[in-house]
Amino acid sequence: YVGHLLGRRSNRELARSGFSLQMEQFPILFIVYLAADDLLSQQDIANMTQKDKSGIQRSLRTLQRDGYLRITPDAGDRRR
């Protein structure tokens, strides 16, 4: 319960400060940043965050739309 309240408050403060990020998106950004040049699939990110793949997909689309990351398809593996 407390974690949920902290997340909601943090999201409100981020929005008030002009950021389009949500607290739930930070782990995804950290993982992508730490992976550096390694391409990660949605499944890789879902496994690392212990979230479902469809939720990760929505977050990735939003992060891309807002300019926080770029999704680049892998020519050899369309899932990456």
Side-chain angles (χ1 to χ4, degrees), residues 11-65:
N11 288 340
R12 257 193 316 245
E13 290 299 317
L14 283 166
R16 196 170 65 77
S17 299
F19 294 99
S20 59
L21 286 171
Q22 300 282 307
M23 288 303 295
E24 300 80 22
Q25 295 169 324
F26 278 98
I28 295 170
L29 288 176
F30 288 135
I31 288 169
V32 170
Y33 174 76
L34 292 175
D37 294 331
D38 294 335
L39 294 178
L40 298 174
S41 68
Q42 274 179 231
Q43 189 65 57
D44 294 333
I45 297 169
N47 291 343
M48 290 179 202
T49 59
Q50 297 181 353
K51 304 277 185 190
D52 65 297
K53 204 164 76 168
S54 61
I56 296 299
Q57 181 181 32
R58 284 189 300 275
S59 290
L60 289 173
R61 282 188 197 149
T62 302
L63 289 166
Q64 181 182 28
R65 180 196 71 204

